[in-house]
């Protein structure tokens, strides 16, 4: 029994490890075209911020973890063709420089995503780095070291985390974002304003509502809708696309380049599954979307493992949780933003602020988004200088179980004098929302 | 409209504050027999542990907070009689030394609990302090200061937290517990063993399975089922009883001394409600129990406020969450212990251990208790030297929504490289439980 997984990032490795748990005797292979696996996306930031000593620590799993689980790991192995009728794949072994063939009983596609952009004439420009490359290459560090003025394109989570790391490394940074606010996919503008201020205070130029039209020239010229810049280096933090070209002729794709799968992550061809950034994820309001988040990748890899021999676990809804610590602020978002939710609901919001604990007076600020008719919890955004990230997990379960503000308000919770007030902020926000709703429906 | 609340502890104050939110124009009174309100139970510990500078900081609410909410606070006011037919109460004003009468439209009983024990011949013994007294009296601090050898009776949360504070104040402590393990109401023995070790290492004598039979004598003699001790001071951390004597002739009581109420916290007499430690709380397996926890007190106070004029919010289930940091370990429990759950289910458990984060390698240990047939999550116990207390809130929502191990395993959650692994421990434990169940039902 050969189970072959193409791609050794989060989704592929999660799938392999879970398959090992479920099928102790199967032969499990991972074919990865790069020469390493398991690198975490924030590795470069952790290194630049000196939170870890060395970039070699920034792995969520190591080769030896994988091999210890008796998973056959083929690095530098690039799959070049899939022959579905024969259940075989062809791959090129870059080390031995030869083509090889492998038979599979079950094939899991986990090639992930890469950054693509039509504005770029020369992807191999020496002064251009993608954040995906930064994750995988220590030489990204060397390029940063030599540059003084760096333009970061994309004000999402990755772009902002990279910006912070660059500021800590004493670089002059220009952050360019096409939308009118930072992190706009996950946070409403009123919540993210304080993050923007914190970034500007340390001297970063933030260019909002400004789209990069062209990057070119030997001396690196960045042209936006409003100006021209000449940075020493450009870091591109945008435009992830599913890396599905290998199967473009074999399998039906969605418009965004993801592979069409059923509820159990099986593709149109029997015995071929797709996971991670190669597939859409069920999301709010019964829609499906391409959501390139690690949590989705890990879950979909595990779910596919359960379904290899019979359909057992459906692909799960993404509540699009993200959390970060940027410029001394912890921020996290779960569920829909106010703007998104307003497309489907008459929305109510409450903003609540409490001290972190009886001994730590730093404020915690929570914005709760609900359906004003039923009180259903739709989303939440939280920020503090204290670590409040785990609150997102609690609210996530409330959202996925369709809890109302009333139900969340009176949900049992921990009281602990040092660290939680008698009225922890999640439940207080839900209570305020419930009170407002009662008042408005009178 | 007079809304009168008897008792100014967690339940009474929560009820008053919520009533103010819901009824901006009502006259709200709190009658409290003591001369202060809002003291938190761990205040003494926080002071002894030097986490707060002064015991005067250890308040969850202050008199001025309450008065600012336009709540009329009568301190030193002891209610002596309730005339339900006239909707009036009589109280004694200890400051002016006079009896007074007050009319009510709605009356909320929130007198809380006190410590009682049949083994004590002399409650006023100068070398005896109850933990309830310690909460309210700075002179508890003075008594502790003078004593060298202190016996703490009761190895529950309060007893252990007091023990730690005493050790930090360089006292010699003997901790006496009638059950065969510490914290036995909330934790299984296998989980709590490490706490016991940590307490013994610092030189505390722990006497388990040993019941105090008698406390007497001018020189303070403590007689247990196994020995006699002569400490300088005894701190009694056990035997909370509802303080319902005021209404013993007026209202039906349960056997444990709590007041009988309906689902909406109304007593047998119209317009009289009871909250906090005066009532039983719905708990596991549709049972009701006297559970003297702050979270229950706060919730029941708020719920009663919603129900004063129409039945709107039912009293909610307690999942009996507790959390503490004792002797450098954070421990938390939610739901049923393995021993408890075994009375109703064929129980499965999984024990999972992961590092706290990629940058902090301290282990986190989680014991998950499930129904082996359906996979329903029944309880969890977590411990670490890092703060993992908020995980209990997440699992609480899973339990109260009857989630199975499968549903929790694939629930969306936050991935954040610094602080959560790709496989946060809650979801990993649920996944292991689901795997075991699949394996066993094959």
């Amino acid at each position: 029994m050969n189970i072959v997984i193409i791609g050794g990032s989060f989704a592929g490795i999660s799938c392999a490890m879970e398959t090992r748990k479920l099928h102790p005797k199967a032969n499990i292979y991972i074919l990865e075209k790069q020469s390493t696996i398991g690198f975490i996306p924030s590795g470069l930031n952790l290194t630049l911020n000196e939170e870890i000593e060395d970039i070699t620590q920034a792995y969520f799993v190591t080769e030896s973890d994988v091999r210890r689980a008796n998973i056959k790991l083929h690095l530098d192995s690039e799959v070049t063709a899939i022959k579905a009728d024969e259940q075989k794949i062809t791959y090129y072994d870059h080390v031995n420089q030869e083509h090889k063939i492998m038979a599979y009983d079950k094939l899991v596609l986990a090639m992930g995503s890469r950054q693509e952009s039509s504005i770029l004439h020369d992807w191999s420009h020496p002064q251009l780095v993608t954040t995906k490359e930064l994750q995988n290459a220590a030489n990204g560090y060397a390029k940063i070291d030599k540059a003084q003025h760096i333009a970061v394109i994309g004000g999402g989570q990755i772009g902002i985390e990279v910006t912070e790391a660059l500021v800590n490394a004493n670089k002059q940074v220009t952050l360019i974002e096409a939308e009118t606010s930072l992190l706009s996919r996950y946070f409403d503008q009123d919540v993210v304003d304080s993050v923007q201020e914190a970034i500007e205070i340390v001297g970063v130029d933030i260019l909002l509502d400004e789209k990069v039209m062209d990057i070119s020239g030997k001396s690196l010229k960045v042209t936006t809708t409003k100006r021209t810049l000449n940075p020493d280096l450009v870091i591109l933090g945008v435009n992830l696309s599913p890396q599905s070209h290998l199967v473009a002729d074999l399998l039906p794709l969605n418009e965004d380049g993801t592979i069409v799968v059923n509820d159990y992550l099986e593709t149109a061809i029997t015995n071929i599954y797709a996971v991670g950034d190669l597939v859409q994820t069920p999301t709010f309001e019964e829609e499906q979307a391409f959501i390139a988040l690690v949590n989705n990748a890990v879950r979909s890899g595990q779910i596919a493992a359960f379904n290899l021999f019979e359909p057992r676990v459906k692909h799960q809804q993404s509540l699009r949780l993200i959390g970060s610590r940027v410029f001394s602020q912890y921020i996290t978002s779960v569920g829909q933003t106010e703007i998104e939710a307003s497309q489907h609901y008459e929305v109510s919001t409450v903003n609540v602020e409490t001290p972190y604990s009886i001994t730590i007076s730093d404020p915690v600020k929570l914005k709760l988004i609900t359906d004003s008719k039923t009180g259903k919890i739709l989303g939440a955004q939280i920020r503090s200088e204290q670590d409040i990230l785990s609150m997102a997990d609690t609210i996530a379960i409330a959202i996925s179980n369709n809890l109302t503000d009333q139900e969340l308000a009176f949900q049992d919770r921990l009281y602990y004098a040092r660290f939680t007030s008698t009225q922890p902020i999640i439940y207080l926000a839900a209570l305020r929302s419930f009170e407002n709703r009662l008042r408005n429906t009178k």
Side-chain angles (χ1 to χ4, degrees), chain A:
Chain A
M1 173 62 62
N2 277 4
I3 297 169
V4 177
I5 296 160
I6 306 178
S9 67
F10 287 103
I13 288 171
S14 300
C15 184
M17 299 294 266
E18 191 59 37
T19 301
R20 171 54 68 227
K21 286 270 173 197
L22 298 171
H23 305 290
K25 291 174 186 165
N27 296 314
I28 304 173
Y29 297 87
I30 294 176
L31 303 183
E32 168 56 49
K33 68 178 176 187
Q34 296 189 305
S35 51
T36 181
I37 57 156
F39 201 82
I40 62 166
S42 307
L44 184 84
N45 302 2
L46 293 175
T47 312
L48 288 174
N49 292 338
E50 297 182 350
E51 293 183 53
I52 54 177
E53 283 172 27
D54 191 303
I55 204 152
T56 58
Q57 290 178 269
Y59 289 84
F60 70 91
V61 71
T62 64
E63 286 179 36
S64 64
D65 292 337
V66 172
R67 296 193 203 276
R68 206 163 37 235
N70 191 22
I71 291 162
K72 296 174 177 68
L73 183 59
H74 293 238
L75 296 174
D76 301 298
S77 297
E78 186 170 5
V79 176
T80 52
I82 299 172
K83 289 186 181 168
D85 48 346
E86 300 174 29
Q87 299 212 154
K88 281 181 183 160
I89 57 166
T90 309
Y91 67 97
Y92 184 70
D93 176 339
H94 284 275
V95 173
N96 298 307
Q97 301 195 355
E98 53 184 338
H99 288 275
K100 293 180 177 174
I101 289 173
M102 184 180 281
Y104 67 81
D105 296 287
K106 303 287 175 181
L107 180 66
V108 180
L109 307 174
M111 292 88 79
S113 57
R114 63 176 177 185
Q115 284 171 311
E116 285 179 347
S117 175
S118 56
I119 56 167
L120 276 173
H121 301 296
D122 181 8
W123 276 87
S124 59
H125 197 294
Q127 286 149 277
L128 179 77
V129 194
T130 66
T131 46
K132 273 263 178 183
E133 278 177 90
L134 275 185
Q135 293 165 26
N136 298 310
N139 75 344
Y141 196 89
K143 285 187 184 182
I144 288 168
D145 212 31
K146 276 183 280 182
Q148 182 46 37
H149 177 207
I150 300 176
V152 176
I153 302 179
Q157 182 179 12
I158 296 171
I160 290 178
E161 289 187 358
V162 166
T163 295
E164 180 176 31
L166 295 174
V167 168
N168 290 345
N170 293 312
K171 304 299 176 185
Q172 182 200 340
V173 185
T174 303
L175 178 60
I176 309 171
E177 166 58 46
E179 299 293 326
T180 54
S181 68
L182 298 175
L183 291 166
S184 60
R185 192 165 178 185
Y186 301 97
F187 293 90
D188 292 309
Q189 179 144 16
D190 53 327
V191 172
V192 95
D193 272 350
S194 63
V195 175
Q196 187 178 327
E197 274 171 37
I199 299 176
E200 284 174 331
I201 276 174
V202 295
V204 172
D205 270 334
I206 302 180
L207 310 180
L208 294 173
D209 197 13
E210 199 159 331
K211 206 171 167 156
V212 175
M213 305 301 286
D214 190 75
I215 301 174
S216 60
K218 205 182 166 190
S219 70
L220 197 65
K221 198 172 72 176
V222 177
T223 309
T224 76
T225 40
K226 294 182 185 167
R227 76 197 78 197
T228 299
L229 299 164
N230 287 94
D232 304 323
L233 186 72
V234 166
I235 298 180
L236 201 69
V238 288
N239 298 326
L240 286 174
S241 300
Q243 212 161 349
S244 56
H245 55 92
L246 175 67
V247 295
D249 297 330
L250 184 69
L251 293 170
L253 304 183
N254 296 305
E255 260 188 37
D256 57 12
T258 54
I259 298 167
V260 174
V261 289
N262 67 15
D263 285 349
Y264 298 92
L265 295 169
E266 196 169 13
T267 68
I269 296 179
T270 306
N271 293 332
I272 303 183
Y273 298 77
V275 297
D277 287 358
L278 285 180
V279 299
Q280 293 183 342
T281 304
T283 180
F284 314 117
E285 311 310 324
E286 312 207 344
E287 289 173 3
Q288 301 262 338
F290 171 64
I291 304 174
L293 288 175
V294 172
N295 26 354
N296 290 338
V298 170
R299 286 195 306 164
S300 68
Q302 292 172 337
I303 287 170
F306 277 90
N307 296 332
L308 291 177
F309 294 91
E310 53 178 310
R312 282 197 289 206
V313 179
K314 283 193 182 183
H315 196 192
Q316 304 287 305
Q317 186 190 29
S318 167
L319 298 174
R320 236 183 34 202
L321 287 91
I322 73 154
S324 189
R325 190 187 67 191
V326 282
F327 296 94
S328 307
Q329 286 187 64
Y330 291 87
I331 50 170
T332 182
S333 169
V334 49
Q336 303 181 59
T337 61
E338 181 181 1
I339 286 189
E340 275 177 307
S342 300
Q343 295 166 19
H344 300 278
Y345 298 92
E346 195 182 302
V347 164
S348 289
T349 64
V350 288
N351 285 283
V352 176
E353 181 175 335
T354 65
Y356 178 71
S357 77
I358 196 162
T359 53
I360 299 171
S361 61
D362 292 339
V364 180
K365 296 175 184 179
L366 189 152
K367 175 176 181 173
L368 188 71
I369 297 138
T370 57
D371 173 12
S372 61
K373 284 207 194 70
T374 62
K376 191 169 95 160
I377 309 290
L378 300 172
Q381 297 160 45
I382 318 173
R383 61 195 195 280
S384 177
E385 294 196 5
Q386 297 294 321
D387 180 8
I388 42 64
L389 296 181
S390 65
M391 287 185 187
D393 285 340
T394 302
I395 298 173
I397 301 195
I399 293 175
S400 63
N401 286 281
N402 293 310
L403 259 61
T404 64
D405 48 14
Q406 176 179 356
E407 288 164 333
L408 184 57
F410 300 114
Q411 168 66 44
D412 202 7
R413 79 299 299 259
L414 184 64
Y415 168 78
Y416 181 53
R418 283 185 189 86
F419 291 102
T420 58
S421 71
T422 59
Q423 194 70 299
I425 192 165
I426 293 175
Y427 313 96
L428 180 61
L431 185 65
R432 292 289 166 263
S433 176
F434 178 46
E435 289 162 4
N436 290 345
R437 196 155 55 88
L438 280 180
R439 202 172 298 132
N440 295 334
T441 55
K442 253 177 195 166

